[in-house]
Amino acid sequence: MLTYRALLDDAAHTLYESCDTPRIDAEVLLQHVLQQPLAWLIANGDTAATQDHSKRFYDLVAQRLSGQPIAYLLGYREFWTLNLTVNEHVLIPRPDTECLVEAALERLNKEEPSRLLDLGTGSGAIGLALAKEQPLAKVLAVDYSTDALAVAKANALSNHVSNIEFAQSDWFSNVDRHPGFHLIAANPPYVAEGDAHLEQGDLRFEPKMALSCGNNGLSDLTTIIESAKDYLLSHGSLLLEHGHEQFSDVERLLKDNGYRDIELYKDLNQLPRCTAAIWPG
Ligand code: GLN
């Protein structure tokens, strides 16, 4: 019978070729099987692994070896102050998207009620973070995918967020124009179709619909920019996540559509990742 340390060494070796962080991945997967923190694993490294633990661990390692994202294997990902269930129907929330949440919060007043819209909510990451930080806000979170909405609704319950509603909608197709929103946020698909990144890492396993779109990754951003002005209150904000090379395209689209006060936000890697603008009304 192998010890827990031997299981880790073996798995780190197996994952060496296929993962950037083989040791960490092995540790995280074993912690998940054992439901124990890393400290337990270190303190009990010499203990013989049970057959059940060993089997479940090797099963996860085999899936990781084939490229399955860690977040899907664990079934959750932390985002902002939330613990979000994730599965193959939703994009895995990225730390980069927290810059959009921060930018949105800078524009909102906690003491005042507001109406917020999260387009293409996926796991619910943006909508839930905003709803939690703005207890007086009413958030509408929409997605085209009913499978994604099921995940987002479950996340609202498990994170005890109740000032949020969900609706199936193809961008604005099922959203009422009136009475209008103080802020609209979206992390839409923006990777160009056929981009080599889609064949690398986690992106291979994430829903294509949430990742990529036509016109070099700009078609959904364009649709949202063109439509959002009919749904924003006067002086409402539009916040969009985009690729780091898309800032000037997004800026041009916003200007051409009459938005003002265009502001760029950088992600954790100091790359342009989110643009905000005001609809003058
Ligand atoms: N940020 C994602 C990436 O890793 C893309 C997400 C999106 O298209 N909205 O490229």
Side-chain angles (χ1 to χ4, degrees), residues 121-138:
T121 193
S123 65
I126 295 171
L128 289 169
L130 296 181
K132 194 170 167 191
E133 296 294 334
Q134 299 285 318
L136 299 183
K138 276 200 177 7

Side-chain angles (χ1 to χ4, degrees), residues 237-269:
S237 294
L238 175 63
L239 282 98
L240 298 167
E241 183 173 323
H242 51 75
H244 60 91
E245 287 163 346
Q246 290 171 326
F247 168 63
S248 47
D249 290 313
V250 170
E251 186 184 35
R252 177 182 45 79
L253 284 163
L254 287 164
K255 275 189 185 149
D256 289 352
N257 278 279
Y259 293 84
R260 303 247 177 90
D261 301 321
I262 298 166
E263 205 172 330
L264 172 68
Y265 294 85
K266 292 186 175 167
D267 65 19
L268 299 168
N269 297 312

